[in-house]
Amino acid sequence: MIGGVSVTLGSALARILVTGGAGYIGSHTRYFLEQAGHSAVVADNLSRGHKEMVPQGLLRVVDIRDTERLKQVLSDERVEAVIHFAAYIAVGESTQVPEVYFANNVSGSVSLFEAMLHCGITRLVFSSSAAAYGIPQRVPIPETEPFAPINPYGESKVMVEKILGWLDRYRAFRSVSLRYFNACGAEPQAGLGELHDPETHLIPLMLRAILTGKPITLFGDDYPTPDGTCIRDYIHVSDLASAHVLAVEHLLRDGQSDVFNVGTGSGHSVLKVLQAVERVTGNKVPHTIGPRREGDPPSLVADSQKLQKQLGWKPARADLDRIVGDAWSFANRQKRSSGEYAAIR
Ligand code: UDP
């Protein structure tokens, strides 16, 4: 084990391009790739990412819609496989400007695939989402659950997964799509954590409420769940990152294209998360109860048996207090380095 990631014997070390590697999950994955002995280069247009999350010398500022520039980066850097994160992720925003989501998430992906095929690179790990399932019929959700996205963000992920299916069939282009549940936590000792702008996610917003004194609104307490608040599968970003390392190593061993859920298999309600935050930080979370948020299913929990069985993945940091503790360390680190927490809106 190196840094919590098992180095798979027999899997060659490779040069890997991480698109969106200045973002939250991308930066952690770049870190864990290096911990596993691989070499990484990052392509990011910095529209949502942070250059401080990428070590000196590894960042190539490029928009994935710029196919020609991508071709140049892929060949100059002698890339062997790509892990593709670069995408917009805000569900609410995707309902306001769907065309922007399809342009960046779908056209941007096609541009990347074209550049890769041009350079003869045919191994890709794709950042997909539980949003592809919409409101699922079965919970925990298996990968066989049909696509039923309920917003343009989720639809953009489905469209790319479908394109990857056709590329596998006709272009021998091998991919692994990882459908994430609720990514959270941080790798504070590596200086990595969640810095979305604007932030919409539950745990960083609860920590911000403590640090700023401004209450967070909890979206609804009348759901058909034991305490009335929504249940989600909170997965530590480092466990998510390690799934990407395993997925790319599977492809580097000439593994077949596949799709995996990445979650812990356990759900926590919003109120349970609030209790964990109060327990771990020793502070009350100022909060109010508001109406439901549009498009929030009552419960989303992953069945990730397939990833565990086929790629030997384990969520090693699934404990909610551990997740919150790492996010809290990072938030405090940010507060110290930026002088005031309000610097992160
Ligand atoms: N949530 C909340 N208040 C907030 C942000 C989120 O009550 O300010 C709830 C949200 O309704 C959902 C859960 O927290 O039930 C997780 O939401 P998040 O936006 O973190 O992730 P999502 O499930 O949308 O991917």
Side-chain angles (χ1 to χ4, degrees):
M1 296 284 277
I2 301 178
V5 174
S6 59
V7 179
T8 318
L9 291 176
S11 132
L13 297 178
R15 177 87 168 144
I16 294 161
L17 180 76
V18 182
T19 75
Y24 175 46
I25 306 171
S27 60
H28 286 78
T29 300
R30 188 271 309 150
Y31 173 73
F32 280 97
L33 281 171
E34 289 170 348
Q35 296 293 304
H38 299 289
S39 125
V41 60
V42 167
D44 199 299
N45 68 1
L46 298 179
S47 67
R48 309 264 162 126
H50 306 270
K51 61 177 185 308
E52 314 81 66
M53 297 289 175
V54 187
Q56 201 79 30
L58 294 192
L59 177 65
R60 307 290 173 270
V61 180
V62 47
D63 191 300
I64 53 166
R65 281 165 291 184
D66 186 346
T67 317
E68 293 311 308
R69 174 93 176 91
L70 272 179
K71 287 179 188 168
Q72 203 184 337
V73 171
L74 289 166
S75 61
D76 288 355
E77 301 291 342
R78 300 173 178 277
V79 167
E80 293 158 81
V82 176
I83 306 185
H84 176 35
F85 295 96
Y88 294 148
I89 61 154
V91 168
E93 185 185 49
S94 81
T95 64
Q96 289 151 11
V97 284
E99 69 286 3
V100 173
Y101 273 66
F102 294 120
N104 192 41
N105 296 8
V106 183
S107 304
S109 296
V110 174
S111 161
L112 170 67
F113 306 156
E114 268 187 85
M116 287 175 65
L117 284 162
H118 175 86
C119 297
I121 303 162
T122 54
R123 295 177 176 115
L124 175 114
V125 178
F126 175 57
S127 174
S128 190
S129 170
Y133 299 118
I135 300 172
Q137 299 300 310
R138 279 182 294 175
V139 179
I141 310 168
E143 289 83 356
T144 48
E145 186 73 6
F147 288 138
I150 54 167
N151 50 59
Y153 166 71
E155 182 70 47
S156 75
K157 295 294 173 184
V158 170
M159 289 167 91
V160 176
E161 282 202 29
K162 287 187 173 175
I163 292 166
L164 288 170
W166 293 112
L167 292 182
D168 177 69
R169 184 156 163 187
Y170 291 116
R171 298 290 263 143
F173 189 95
R174 307 291 178 234
S175 67
V176 170
S177 292
L178 297 177
R179 296 181 185 151
Y180 311 156
F181 284 65
N182 287 62
C184 48
E187 199 61 36
Q189 79 290 349
L192 300 176
E194 194 164 7
L195 272 184
H196 294 120
D197 182 11
E199 186 55 76
T200 60
H201 293 119
L202 185 64
I203 293 174
L205 287 178
M206 284 185 174
L207 301 180
R208 181 175 313 180
I210 292 171
L211 290 167
T212 64
K214 290 184 197 143
I216 175 175
T217 303
L218 308 187
F219 298 139
D221 63 354
D222 58 351
Y223 283 93
T225 60
D227 65 20
T229 63
C230 287
I231 293 173
R232 294 288 179 273
D233 187 333
Y234 293 91
I235 167 88
H236 195 295
V237 64
S238 301
D239 285 337
L240 197 45
S242 75
H244 291 76
V245 177
L246 292 171
V248 81
E249 288 177 346
H250 161 80
L251 293 172
L252 290 165
R253 288 191 302 269
D254 288 332
Q256 292 304 299
S257 293
D258 217 330
V259 174
F260 299 99
N261 286 334
V262 197
T264 65
S266 296
H268 301 283
S269 71
V270 170
L271 287 178
K272 289 279 181 227
V273 174
L274 185 122
Q275 285 161 13
V277 169
E278 294 190 337
R279 196 165 51 237
V280 170
T281 66
N283 289 281
K284 285 281 169 205
V285 177
H287 67 276
T288 56
I289 309 286
R292 292 181 177 196
R293 183 173 67 177
E294 180 67 26
D296 262 344
S299 181
L300 287 176
V301 178
D303 177 344
S304 58
Q305 292 298 314
K306 188 179 167 194
L307 181 62
Q308 304 199 23
K309 283 192 189 123
Q310 285 184 219
L311 297 189
W313 176 78
K314 280 195 178 56
R317 307 158 184 85
D319 176 56
L320 190 55
D321 287 18
R322 161 78 191 268
I323 289 172
V324 171
D326 285 346
W328 182 234
S329 302
F330 180 73
N332 279 294
R333 212 185 139 106
Q334 276 303 117
K335 187 185 173 197
R336 282 195 300 275
S337 65
S338 66
E340 53 163 346
Y341 196 72
I344 309 161
R345 280 193 288 128

